[in-house]
Amino acid sequence: EGSTFTIYLPFAQDSAETYDSRYNPCSIGAENLLLVGADEHLVGLVQRALERRFYHVSTYKSATEALQQLKTNPAPVELVVVVLDQEWVIEADFAERVYENHPNLPVILYYDEEVSYSVPPEKPPTVKKALPSTVCSGVLVEIIRHVLDNDE
C-alpha cells in the first residue's frame, strides 16, 4: 500500500526580523576592481563571483605588476582585493604600498587561514576589511559592495 512519513520542520517565528537588510543578494556593480594574488584557484573563485555581479575585474599575480597597473592604467580602479596565501606572505606589505601611492583607494584583504599571521595588526587606513577565505565569495562580494557604497 504505501508508507506514511511525518516530517517535522523547525518553526522560525521571527525569521523576517533576523534578515539583515544591508545585505542585498541581488546587488550589482559596474566598478573597476583590482584583484591581486598568487593562488589561482582562490583568485579565480573571487573573480567569477565578482564578474557575475558585473564588476570589471583585472587580476595580477605580482605586486609589482599590480602597482604598475595602478600607475599607468587610464581606467580608474575603485577598490583593490588582495588574496594573501603561502606565496603572497612576502607581499603582505602590498596594502601599505598601495596606501602610499593611492591614499583614498580602499583595500580588502582576503587571506588563507594558514597565513593569518601575515595580516599586519596595524593596517593602513585604506584597508577596510580583513577577511579569512572561509568567508564565502558571496559574502565577500556583498562586503565589497558596502565598502564601495561607503557603508562600512
Side-chain angles (χ1 to χ4, degrees), residues 16-151:
E17 294 175 25
T18 60
Y19 175 73
D20 189 344
S21 62
R22 293 179 303 156
Y23 295 101
N24 179 357
C26 298
S27 67
I28 60 172
E31 290 86 356
N32 295 311
L33 307 181
L34 187 68
L35 179 58
V36 186
D39 183 333
E40 289 182 26
H41 173 71
L42 193 53
V43 168
L45 180 73
V46 172
Q47 180 180 9
R48 284 188 299 279
L50 290 167
E51 288 175 344
R52 276 195 300 262
R53 299 281 178 91
F54 304 103
Y55 290 100
H56 305 283
V57 182
S58 299
T59 61
Y60 292 89
K61 287 185 179 182
S62 157
T64 305
E65 290 176 1
L67 289 168
Q68 185 64 31
Q69 189 272 350
L70 285 171
K71 287 181 185 178
T72 61
N73 191 352
V77 171
E78 283 97 351
L79 184 134
V80 176
V81 179
V82 180
V83 178
L84 290 173
D85 62 9
Q86 292 291 357
E87 294 181 49
W88 257 70
V89 169
I90 58 171
E91 306 282 7
D93 69 332
F94 175 75
E96 183 68 41
R97 293 189 290 169
V98 169
Y99 174 66
E100 289 170 3
N101 296 300
H102 306 277
N104 296 318
L105 183 60
V107 175
I108 293 178
L109 301 178
Y110 195 57
Y111 60 90
D112 187 325
E113 292 271 328
E114 294 176 7
V115 296
S116 59
Y117 62 85
S118 69
V119 176
E122 294 291 323
K123 296 179 266 316
T126 54
V127 174
K128 301 303 180 186
K129 299 284 181 185
L131 304 164
S133 60
T134 53
V135 171
C136 74
S137 59
V139 172
L140 174 63
V141 170
E142 294 307 317
I143 290 171
I144 288 170
R145 177 76 265 148
H146 290 291
V147 169
L148 288 167
D149 291 341
N150 296 313
D151 292 341

